[in-house]
């Protein structure tokens, strides 16, 4: 694997310009002081209850486990010029993806043009026939998108950004971005006096503004709620946090009911009409009358109200068609088709295992590639070839040969590294970045996003569910 791009240091071991002030400060910090700060952060996060439920993991009593997402003290710093270009690329990409979703459920022009294979869309598990012809406010389907960005070293020593994945259904992690910043300001106020770091604390205001902007036609003062599957969901902390930060109600499916074509929530003052639902519940569980009859997480009749235009769901039902990993390779063509522009942000080269030639190549190079399930998330159901044993590769080969259309493969990118405070001291660890893109009347985002870090030495898997941690992300304003 190629050497990684180091975010802080050049190959000559000099500190990059945008890290210089921070580097001098870090050099002067006693390790004991940094350890004490890390322990303080952990204590505060635990006290506040900033936890992440780990599916499948049990404690010694057999109960499900919740754990802190490890927080790293050393920020990831992005110079302003890099962010300006990334921001433009993100806005371009999300705009094209929203146009694609609208097209899929209306004219299907991109399918007729043969740019995206029709069967890959219409036979996809994420396609929702119930959404055909349904009008949504402003033709926006994914109001909240989390786009995963990675950086890889180039031959000339520079680092190029790539989009690794589009998360358009129920992207999570923004609460950790906000809490990481709050923690850094608490622990190291002097750093914010020394740097002009772009703020992120206004994200809940932008989110509420976005949700209110997509209310059904004719609603001037919309009632917004956050719909959660409940306290046993891995991201429940985030659901409660965002509802509280926006000043709106956090509801579960049992708190909602449909009456005479509208959705209401039960309150101590009686029923109150709901206009916008920021839902953190997957499509299948939203309406037991339309999708999974055994779901207790949704509200019966919700789809009919939605199709009638009397409620807005953020994100819309059926957005998953655009973040399926088998659709990802076509996004650059979508940008050209809908916007008439060249992509600002590049995709990672991708092999579609449903294509015989691609499958042949992947099977011959499994030890070099990362293979992912097209519907997978959270780092599950994937093979990282260079880190896998011969037995694991053999086992995965059998699965891949049995259901090739379920998988894509990509070269093993040497994700960029950032200095990270680990037990042995300061050491490089691989990172990615998830900016959160809001689409309402306009496309907007706070500078930066959630930097995720693979804490295990050499690991490329940054997902929280797989033991990854997070860092504060600084976009410098000057």
């Amino acid at each position: 694997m190629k050497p990684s791009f180091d975010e802080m240091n050049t190959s000559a071991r000099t500190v990059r310009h945008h890290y210089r002030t921070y580097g001098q400060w870090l050099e002067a910090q006693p390790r004991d002081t940094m350890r004490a700060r890390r322990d303080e952060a952990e204590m505060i996060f635990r006290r506040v209850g900033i936890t992440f439920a780990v599916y499948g993991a049990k404690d010694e009593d057999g109960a499900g486990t919740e754990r802190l997402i490890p927080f790293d003290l050393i920020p990831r710093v992005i110079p302003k010029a890099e962010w300006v270009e990334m921001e433009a690329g993100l806005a371009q990409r999300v705009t094209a993806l929203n146009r694609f979703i609208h097209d899929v459920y209306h004219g299907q022009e991109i399918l007729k043009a043969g740019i995206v294979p029709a069967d890959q869309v219409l036979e996809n598990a994420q396609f929702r026939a119930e959404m055909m012809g349904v009008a949504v406010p402003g033709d926006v389907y994914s109001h909240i998108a989390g786009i995963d960005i990675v950086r890889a070293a180039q031959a000339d020593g520079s680092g190029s950004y790539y989009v690794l994945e589009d998360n358009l259904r129920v992207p999570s992690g923004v609460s950790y971005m906000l809490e990481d910043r709050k923690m850094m300001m608490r622990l190291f106020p002097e750093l914010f006096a020394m740097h002009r770091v772009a703020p992120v604390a206004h994200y809940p205001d932008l989110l509420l503004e976005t949700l209110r902007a997509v209310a059904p036609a004719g609603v001037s003062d919309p009632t917004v709620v956050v719909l959660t599957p409940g306290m046993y969901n891995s991201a429940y902390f985030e659901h409660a946090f965002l509802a509280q930060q926006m000043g709106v109600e956090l509801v579960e499916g049992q708190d909602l009911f449909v009456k005479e074509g509208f959705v209401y929530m039960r309150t101590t003052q009686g029923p109150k009409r709901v206009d916008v639902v920021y839902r953190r519940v997957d499509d299948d569980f939203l309406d037991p009358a339309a999708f999974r009859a055994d779901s207790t997480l949704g509200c019966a009749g919700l789809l009919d109200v939605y199709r009638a235009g009397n409620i807005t769901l953020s994100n819309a039902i059926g957005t998953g068609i655009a973040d399926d990993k088998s659709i990802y390779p076509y996004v650059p063509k979508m940008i050209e088709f809908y916007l008439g522009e060249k992509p600002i942000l590049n995709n990672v080269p991708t092999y579609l295992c449903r294509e015989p030639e691609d499958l042949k190549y992947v099977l011959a190079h499994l030890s070099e590639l990362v293979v992912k399930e097209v519907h997978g998330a959270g780092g599950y159901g994937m093979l990282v070839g260079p880190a896998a044993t011969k037995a694991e590769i053999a086992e995965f080969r059998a699965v891949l040969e049995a259901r090739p259309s379920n998988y894509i493969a990509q070269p093993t990118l040497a994700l960029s590294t950032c200095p990270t405070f680990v037990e042995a001291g300061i050491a490089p660890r691989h990172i990615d970045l998830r900016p959160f893109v809001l689409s309402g009347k306009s496309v907007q985002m706070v500078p930066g996003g959630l930097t995720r870090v693979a804490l295990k030495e050499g690991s490329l898997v940054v997902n929280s569910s797989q033991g990854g941690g997070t860092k504060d992300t600084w976009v410098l304003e000057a």
Side-chain angles (χ1 to χ4, degrees), residues 87-102 139-142 145 147 168 331 334-335 338-339 341 437-439 442-445:
E87 184 178 38
L90 289 163
Q92 178 196 58
R93 191 175 181 97
V94 170
T95 299
L97 285 164
N98 268 312
R99 293 276 293 273
F100 169 70
I101 304 168
H102 179 265
D139 294 340
V140 178
Y141 287 74
S142 184
I147 309 296
L168 305 177
V331 178
M334 290 177 201
I335 292 169
Y338 296 115
L339 308 180
E341 300 168 0
V437 184
L438 300 173
S439 303
S442 61
V443 178
Q444 51 191 344
M445 62 203 88

Side-chain angles (χ1 to χ4, degrees), residues 107-277:
Q108 299 186 343
E109 300 302 327
I110 202 165
L111 306 186
K112 291 171 186 170
I115 291 166
V116 179
D119 64 328
Q120 217 158 318
V121 172
L122 304 178
E123 295 170 20
N124 195 295
Q126 297 302 321
F127 175 72
R128 296 284 181 261
E130 299 87 350
M131 287 298 291
M132 286 300 297
V134 176
V136 300
D139 294 340
V140 178
Y141 287 74
S142 184
H143 311 95
I144 304 103
I147 309 296
D148 291 347
I149 305 270
V150 297
R151 195 181 214 184
Q154 302 303 301
D156 63 359
S158 65
S160 291
Y161 289 110
Y162 294 88
V163 174
L164 185 66
E165 207 166 281
D166 303 294
N167 299 285
L168 305 177
R169 282 175 276 177
V170 281
S172 65
V174 77
S175 59
Y176 306 112
M177 172 191 84
L178 296 168
E179 289 290 356
D180 286 356
R181 173 62 54 84
K182 208 188 299 181
M183 183 60 70
M184 285 295 284
M185 294 178 83
R186 176 181 183 139
L187 296 178
F188 308 112
E190 70 275 21
L191 285 173
F192 293 87
M194 295 159 64
H195 298 83
R196 287 185 59 197
V197 181
V200 297
H202 58 297
Y203 175 86
D205 298 332
L206 289 185
L207 176 58
L208 183 58
E209 178 190 311
T210 298
L211 295 171
R212 290 175 62 88
V214 295
V219 177
S220 57
D221 186 19
T223 296
V224 177
V225 300
V226 177
L227 174 63
T228 176
M231 64 185 292
Y232 297 108
N233 183 266
S234 65
Y236 180 73
F237 163 77
E238 177 158 295
H239 308 162
F241 174 87
L242 289 173
Q244 185 263 331
Q245 291 289 307
M246 289 191 287
V248 305
E249 292 294 333
L250 178 70
V251 300
E252 296 183 29
Q254 63 199 21
D255 301 319
L256 303 176
F257 66 94
V258 169
K259 185 179 179 185
E260 296 171 359
F262 293 93
V263 175
Y264 295 85
M265 67 172 157
R266 297 178 172 88
T267 78
T268 52
Q269 282 82 43
K272 182 173 175 61
R273 185 177 147 185
V274 174
D275 305 298
V276 180
V277 177

